[in-house]
Amino acid sequence: MTRFAWWEDIRTTHTDLRASLAAAARRTRDVDEDVGVVPPLSLPRSAVDDGLLMETAAMGVTVGGPYLRSHARGWEVAPGKTLDMRAFLGRRHELTDIIAEVMPGTDRLMVHVTGPWTFGASVEYRGHPLCFDRPAFRDVALALGEGVREFCDAVGASVVHVHERRFAEVTSMLVGATDFETMSVDREIATNVERRFLEQMRGDYGEEGGREIILDTGCLYPELASLDSTLVVDRLDDEVARLVDSGTAVAWRVGGERSSEELAHTVMRTWKQWTFDGESPEPQIDLVAVGEDILTPNAAAELARTVRGAAALLHRN
């Protein structure tokens, strides 16, 4: 199983990309012996609403992907260049230049992106969610996958965190512009689309197997265990135990409301309560430092200290 120990899924109030990246590096750097592995360094994310959606679209633009523009309900596909996309394209280019300047060859850089189903459910095309138009959705999903791969190649990122929190909604009932307009995608079909997207991003980076992928869907469907990725979970329950027993790497989303000791004790106590069918797997549950809101630099540092401390306790015990 892939080991990460811990990483960040946060946005901060930094207005300067260089300062934001430097702060993230200070929060993430550990002595390897503390947590057992080199943790991934999350690249800065925009504090703008739906910033992750726009950043992913900006990556896709490089290979002919969609331009987006804002409207009353959120975002829609635009026929050409927009001021919204120009700002995010400029930010992407600036971040690429800064990384090349200050941290070339850094181990385990992590890029956060929006998954294809969440993108397709959140962006409109001709007045309806993009994924309602299957040919258009297919083209956009392919462009996003290639664009993310090219951006990861440019910055030397070896880990991609895919945010796909609307996966369960798409596979149950996605509501369109009105309550009378709905769609549902078979889980197997949705999983195959996700697999194609992940394979695009893996590419042939580094060692055999390509980039490491982390997938956060907000659900634990059995089909997702076949995607050869670390699955992010919201809670530690029997479904998680079955994933661990099958050899799937798991990461638990945690905030800063508990101390390092409480987080570590929760993981260890839960692990002892689980019963595994086969040989007991190596005790490994990674931790994800989740900031529900935009965090100040001090709050981000405190959250990182708490989660990093819990990962260190788990490693020693």
Side-chain angles (χ1 to χ4, degrees), residues 84-191:
D84 295 310
M85 288 303 300
R86 181 179 297 178
F88 278 90
L89 282 167
R91 187 178 188 278
R92 184 182 64 80
H93 289 308
E94 182 184 359
L95 181 59
T96 303
D97 293 341
I98 292 172
I99 292 171
E101 176 187 346
V102 303
M103 48 180 54
T106 301
D107 290 332
R108 278 191 164 177
L109 284 179
M110 174 186 284
V111 172
H112 292 258
V113 299
T114 303
W117 288 112
T118 298
F119 191 94
S122 305
V123 173
E124 291 190 358
Y125 176 64
R126 295 179 177 175
H128 309 281
L130 174 64
C131 55
F132 278 38
D133 188 313
R134 296 199 174 186
F137 173 67
R138 180 196 61 219
D139 292 344
V140 169
L142 288 171
L144 292 179
E146 286 302 305
V148 171
R149 182 186 58 78
E150 287 200 4
F151 177 74
C152 290
D153 287 344
V155 299
S158 60
V159 187
V160 183
H161 185 149
V162 181
H163 295 257
E164 193 67 287
R165 299 289 289 186
R166 301 192 70 175
F167 191 89
E169 186 180 353
V170 169
T171 53
S172 55
M173 181 179 291
L174 176 66
V175 179
T178 70
D179 291 340
F180 301 99
E181 181 185 43
T182 63
M183 74 168 291
S184 177
V185 179
D186 181 79
R187 287 187 190 177
E188 193 64 36
I189 294 174
T191 302

Side-chain angles (χ1 to χ4, degrees), residues 37 55 63 73 111 146 173-174 178 185 192 199 212 222 264:
V37 295
E55 288 171 1
V63 293
R73 290 186 297 273
V111 172
E146 286 302 305
M173 181 179 291
L174 176 66
T178 70
V185 179
N192 286 336
E199 288 174 351
E212 297 165 309

